[in-house]
Amino acid sequence: MSLRGHVSIATLNTRGTPVRGSQLADRYRSIGAFFDRSDVEIVNFQEVHTYHHLRLLRTTMPSYGVSFRPSLAGPAGGVATFVRRSAGTRDYHRLSIGSGVSRWSRAKASFKGVLLTRLDELWIANTHLLANTDGDWSDESRFTPIHRGQLDALARVMESTDGPLVLCGDFNVARKSTPYKAFLDRTGLTDAFDGRCPPTFHAEYLSPGNSPHCIDFILSRGLDVQSAEQILTDKVHLPGGSMYVSDHVGLRVTVN
C-alpha cells in the first residue's frame, strides 16, 4: 500500500549516558539541531521524562509539532513523537507491570507504555519497554516474564488498529530473544532492517563482559520499506568534550 509519497521516520532513546556529567542540555540541542536540518518527517523519542526535556527538544526543533500524552512530570511513558505533518488522533496505552523482578523494576514498568499518533491514513506507534539491567535475554532471564507480558500488551494495542502502521522504539529486548520473535509472529509486523540491524547500544556504556545487541526497532505493516539506516552513530563535539548524544544509536527508515 502506498502513502501520498515517501515518509521518512526515525527513532532514538534520548536520555542515555550517566546522569552525572551527561551534558543533557548540550546533547539535546545537538539532537534537535540534527533533526531540524534533516528531511526526517516523523521522529519518535524515548526517555523524554520531563517537561524540561521536552522544552529543550521543542526549542531546537521549531519545524516540528509534537504529539504526547501529558502527565504530572512530563510526557507519559517518556515517549514523544515530533511530526512535520498534521497529527490527528492521539492515544496512549500503559503496558503490563508483570512479575519476577524487583519491586523497583515493577514500579518502573508501571510507567511504560505506547503512544499512538494518527497521521492521515498512517498510524505511528512509539514505545519504550522496561530496561534489562542484567543484559541476559535468555528464556531463563528474570526479565523474560515481564518483557513477554509487555509485548503481549503491546501486541493487543497493535491489533486494535487497522491500516498502515509503523512501530518504533527502544524495546529493551534483543532481536534473538524468544519474546521478541513471538511478538513478530503474533502481529505480523515486518522489521524494516530485515533482521540485519547492527547493535543499537554503544558498547562503552555496558558492564564488562556484556556485548551490545540490537534492542531498538522500526517495525511496519502494510508499507514498502525503501531504505533503512543507523543515524547519530558517532561522537559529537560538545562544550564539555566529545561524547555520543545518547547511549543508543538512532534508526531511520523511508517508507511508502
Side-chain angles (χ1 to χ4, degrees), residues 13 17 19 26 37 43 63 72 74 80 83 100 112 115 125 130 146 149 164 168 178 202 213 217 227 233 250:
N13 180 318
T17 76
V19 174
D26 291 325
R37 64 175 178 262
V43 187
S63 64
L72 184 61
V83 296
K112 300 302 182 182
L115 174 70
L130 180 68
I146 195 167
C168 301
T178 299
H202 293 295
H213 292 268
F217 300 97
S227 63
T233 58

Side-chain angles (χ1 to χ4, degrees), residues 19-96:
V19 174
R20 180 174 294 181
S22 71
Q23 300 189 67
L24 175 68
D26 291 325
R27 289 192 300 103
Y28 265 48
R29 291 189 189 100
S30 182
I31 290 168
F34 171 86
F35 284 111
D36 205 63
R37 64 175 178 262
S38 76
D39 60 356
V40 178
E41 296 179 69
I42 303 164
V43 187
N44 295 281
F45 289 127
Q46 300 88 46
E47 291 208 67
V48 185
H49 288 306
T50 70
Y51 289 113
H52 173 62
H53 289 74
L54 186 65
R55 185 166 56 253
L56 287 172
L57 290 171
R58 297 184 80 164
T59 299
T60 53
M61 298 175 67
S63 64
Y64 291 84
V66 61
S67 171
F68 67 98
R69 169 68 65 84
S71 71
L72 184 61
V79 290
T81 297
F82 281 65
V83 296
R84 281 175 166 149
R85 295 187 172 204
S86 297
T89 305
R90 182 207 65 210
D91 201 3
Y92 179 82
H93 300 265
R94 292 175 66 179
L95 301 178
S96 170

Side-chain angles (χ1 to χ4, degrees), residues 14-240:
T14 64
R15 204 207 64 80
T17 76
V19 174
R20 180 174 294 181
S22 71
Q23 300 189 67
L24 175 68
D26 291 325
R27 289 192 300 103
Y28 265 48
R29 291 189 189 100
S30 182
I31 290 168
F34 171 86
F35 284 111
D36 205 63
R37 64 175 178 262
S38 76
D39 60 356
V40 178
E41 296 179 69
I42 303 164
V43 187
N44 295 281
F45 289 127
Q46 300 88 46
E47 291 208 67
V48 185
H49 288 306
T50 70
Y51 289 113
H52 173 62
H53 289 74
L54 186 65
R55 185 166 56 253
L56 287 172
L57 290 171
R58 297 184 80 164
T59 299
T60 53
M61 298 175 67
S63 64
Y64 291 84
V66 61
S67 171
F68 67 98
R69 169 68 65 84
S71 71
L72 184 61
V79 290
T81 297
F82 281 65
V83 296
R84 281 175 166 149
R85 295 187 172 204
S86 297
T89 305
R90 182 207 65 210
D91 201 3
Y92 179 82
H93 300 265
R94 292 175 66 179
L95 301 178
S96 170
I97 296 176
S99 60
V101 291
S102 69
R103 183 176 300 176
W104 174 238
S105 292
R106 291 196 301 273
K108 290 191 290 184
S110 69
F111 292 98
K112 300 302 182 182
V114 55
L115 174 70
L116 284 173
T117 304
R118 183 80 169 186
L119 304 172
D120 298 323
E121 69 269 42
L122 175 65
W123 283 106
I124 298 293
N126 183 4
T127 195
H128 184 203
L129 276 60
L130 180 68
N132 182 337
T133 54
D134 295 345
D136 175 11
W137 284 280
S138 69
D139 290 348
E140 292 73 34
S141 169
R142 64 190 179 119
F143 283 91
T144 295
I146 195 167
H147 281 148
R148 184 178 291 115
Q150 290 190 319
L151 288 169
D152 284 345
L154 184 59
R156 289 194 292 273
V157 176
M158 299 301 97
E159 291 165 350
S160 71
T161 66
D162 58 2
L165 175 142
V166 176
L167 168 61
C168 301
D170 174 8
F171 283 52
N172 274 313
V173 295
R175 188 174 56 222
K176 67 177 184 180
S177 69
T178 299
Y180 176 71
K181 293 176 181 177
F183 176 77
L184 290 187
D185 289 341
R186 173 174 173 176
T187 61
L189 295 174
T190 301
D191 181 354
F193 286 79
D194 196 24
R196 294 190 295 267
C197 184
T200 58
F201 195 89
H202 293 295
E204 71 179 60
Y205 295 109
L206 293 172
S207 301
N210 287 341
S211 300
H213 292 268
C214 178
I215 58 175
D216 301 79
F217 300 97
I218 299 181
L219 311 176
S220 67
R221 178 185 70 205
L223 296 164
D224 296 320
V225 176
Q226 303 300 310
S227 63
E229 63 177 336
Q230 290 191 316
I231 55 175
L232 296 167
T233 58
D234 300 323
K235 290 184 177 182
V236 297
H237 295 290
L238 301 177

